[in-house]
Amino acid sequence: MTKDVIALTRRMPDPATVLTGLLAGGPDTLAGFAGEGAVVQLCDELGRPLVSVEAPLLVQVEGEAERLLGATPPPVPFWWTEARATTGVPDAERLAGAFAARLVALAGGSAWPPEAARSLGVVRTDGVSVAPDPAAAAPAVDVLTDKVAVVIQDRPVVAMTAWLADAFRAAAEAGLGLQIVSPPGAALTPAVRDTLGGWPSRWVVRDERDGYYDGRTGAVLRWQDGMFAPVGPGAATPTADAPGVPGAPGAPVAAAFQEVAATGGRQLTLTYRAVHPADERLVLGGGLEAVWRELTGEPPAGWGTAEPANLPWSPRRLTDVAYERAPGSTWFVVVGSPDRPGSATVRVRRTEAGVEEEVTLAFGYGADEEPPVDAVPRAAEVLATRHRLQSMLVQIRRARRDLAVPPCFEGPGAPLAFVLGAEEVRAMPGDRARRTPLSQAPVELGPKTRAALYYPLPGDPSDLSAWKDFELLVRHLKGA
């Protein structure tokens, strides 16, 4: 049975409804709090958590339950309430299901997964024992060692939920890696893939043939020395995790990873950085919206500080959240409409240079759809002339239309274009920025006196030599 149970309800679970759900463990079950009161926990006799319940989240964005759960929710707006059971305690899993079933019965809607929330009865937990602190202290962490925090996710799509975001933060503050364990067939959202980072953090996929393997590199893994690490002599080192393609040196590659899922889809990705003056009139997200409109004809659908993205798109509200959290950094996820899959992550930092926006954006296209590559120069010009673009890399790759990241080899993308902002062009000595080793000359964007430069690249996923051209360009621009 799954360890996460989610109630998708038409009405907000009020205090009386939540209390009725909490009584699924009987009147003697202890309740506690975590996350500065944002998480309610049902505990055993020693006060250790059996089930942790997140505060209900109002979702006002179409398609998020379908994207992340494959579930059909009530019409938006609806309430998303997550209950996470302590790993390895069957009674805890039943307790989470009974909690969700009671919320759905009283507030309307449905539960995910449906089979986990069939009983409204009291779940007896007498004599149940759970993991001692500190592993039980963090609701999202299932195993904690001196090297890594391990999170087990039995979901079709592993998303950057509030649970998982807290686990990332806690692991980073403790100087630990984060390892996510998922069943075969599960996928990551781009937000999780881009946040996972390098060794010893990894995505661990359970597999019938090889036991466990890394969902990003394919390396066969075993639990050793307090973490999942590649098998083989000397494989439990950072260098063994460098490969990302079958047949790379280091650990053996799992057979399941090499069984490439047939897909005719493609993804268009843009990664860019903009630096704005620290001004009280600044509104963030304007550049992202402009690019979204150029490439899709519509603005983003929603945003949030975790997945699901629960708020309708609003650059002003996004800016307010970043302002409230300054000088600390703020991370956002932005999504598109269900008809045009789009996903972006935005990190906002306050630095000496000003307010920095780092954006990674991707759109998915089916076999019968053409990515709008002709619109990319227009999008680049808007960023360069109106939103203080510093640099941008555009790629195209063969991958799933829905943007989910599968645990198999998809192949690298290919660079379609590189853009250098106007201030960066002006800072280069002489005409270095305009005289490059590429066969095609750069295209000027914006006024001639303050032009940014757009460098066309092959952009053919079947031609890996495109990365050689990109490397030559970057070395030239750095003066190497």
Side-chain angles (χ1 to χ4, degrees):
M1 184 182 294
T2 183
K3 295 169 181 62
D4 295 336
V5 184
I6 301 170
L8 308 171
T9 58
R10 288 191 289 269
R11 298 181 299 279
M12 178 182 177
D14 58 25
T17 301
V18 174
L19 178 60
T20 301
L22 294 174
L23 288 173
D28 297 328
T29 303
L30 302 176
F33 296 92
E36 299 181 351
V39 177
V40 180
Q41 295 177 320
L42 291 175
C43 304
D44 67 2
E45 297 171 350
L46 298 178
R48 297 176 298 196
L50 293 167
V51 175
S52 300
V53 180
E54 188 83 7
L57 180 71
L58 180 62
V59 177
Q60 305 174 65
V61 181
E62 292 276 3
E64 284 297 88
E66 293 88 342
R67 178 176 75 94
L68 301 178
L69 301 175
T72 302
V76 293
F78 63 88
W79 292 88
W80 179 304
T81 307
E82 295 206 15
R84 180 171 175 83
T86 298
T87 303
V89 183
D91 286 332
E93 297 169 9
R94 290 193 290 271
L95 183 57
F99 170 84
R102 291 184 174 206
L103 259 61
V104 169
L106 294 171
S110 59
W112 177 91
E115 65 273 11
R118 289 177 176 168
S119 173
L120 298 173
V122 171
V123 178
R124 295 298 178 187
T125 57
D126 300 338
V128 169
S129 61
V130 299
D133 291 337
V141 175
D142 296 291
V143 178
L144 190 66
T145 74
D146 60 350
K147 295 184 177 68
V148 297
V150 179
V151 176
I152 300 172
Q153 292 276 274
D154 284 335
R155 299 190 185 210
V157 177
V158 179
M160 185 59 78
T161 60
W163 301 107
L164 193 55
D166 287 342
F168 270 110
R169 280 192 291 270
E173 290 171 0
L176 303 174
L178 186 74
Q179 299 191 338
I180 299 172
V181 182
S182 73
L188 303 183
T189 65
V192 176
R193 175 197 60 197
D194 296 342
T195 308
L196 197 52
W199 184 90
S201 297
R202 66 176 73 250
W203 176 22
V204 182
V205 181
R206 296 197 298 269
D207 181 62
E208 291 184 357
R209 287 173 288 183
D210 291 298
Y212 298 92
Y213 71 92
D214 190 302
R216 295 186 298 171
T217 69
V220 175
L221 305 174
R222 295 288 183 273
W223 181 261
Q224 47 191 323
D225 297 326
M227 64 179 179
F228 284 101
V231 300
T237 65
T239 54
D241 296 312
V245 297
V253 175
F257 183 79
Q258 301 178 65
E259 295 170 355
V260 181
T263 174
R266 283 175 289 178
Q267 293 176 8
L268 181 65
T269 66
L270 301 88
T271 305
Y272 70 86
R273 186 169 180 266
V275 182
H276 311 277
D279 189 295
E280 62 182 11
R281 295 168 297 179
L282 172 65
V283 177
L284 299 166
L288 177 59
E289 178 175 333
V291 171
W292 213 293
R293 288 183 181 276
E294 286 289 343
L295 298 179
T296 70
E298 60 185 18
W303 70 284
T305 55
E307 292 179 299
N310 64 310
L311 298 169
W313 175 245
S314 170
R316 171 55 65 185
R317 292 188 67 184
L318 183 148
T319 302
D320 290 343
V321 172
Y323 182 81
E324 290 169 2
R325 297 185 177 186
S329 65
T330 306
W331 181 93
F332 302 103
V333 62
V334 182
V335 298
S337 65
D339 294 336
R340 169 50 57 219
S343 175
T345 57
V346 182
R347 186 170 294 280
V348 178
R349 292 187 176 94
R350 179 71 171 89
T351 67
E352 292 182 0
V355 179
E356 299 184 5
E357 272 186 296
E358 296 179 0
V359 179
T360 300
L361 168 62
F363 295 105
Y365 303 89
D368 57 347
E369 298 174 307
E370 283 297 324
V373 294
D374 293 342
V376 171
R378 297 197 303 271
E381 184 162 21
V382 170
L383 283 176
T385 57
R386 303 180 194 173
H387 300 284
R388 298 183 177 271
L389 176 70
Q390 189 174 71
S391 62
M392 179 169 71
L393 175 64
V394 184
Q395 300 178 60
I396 192 164
R397 62 193 296 260
R398 294 192 181 97
R400 290 168 50 156
R401 182 182 188 271
D402 64 4
L403 303 178
V405 182
C408 63
F409 180 68
E410 284 193 307
L416 181 68
F418 180 72
V419 185
L420 198 61
E423 293 302 320
E424 284 62 40
V425 171
R426 292 177 63 183
M428 286 194 177
D431 59 351
R432 181 195 298 166
R434 290 174 171 80
R435 294 171 61 89
T436 74
L438 302 180
S439 57
Q440 285 184 271
V443 178
E444 292 189 347
L445 305 176
K448 199 169 188 65
T449 55
R450 193 177 179 279
L453 293 179
Y454 180 96
Y455 301 89
L457 293 161
D460 182 357
S462 63
D463 182 8
L464 297 183
S465 66
W467 284 108
K468 276 190 177 178
D469 290 342
F470 176 66
E471 182 182 0
L472 284 173
L473 173 63
V474 171
R475 288 173 59 83
H476 169 79
L477 294 177
K478 289 182 176 179

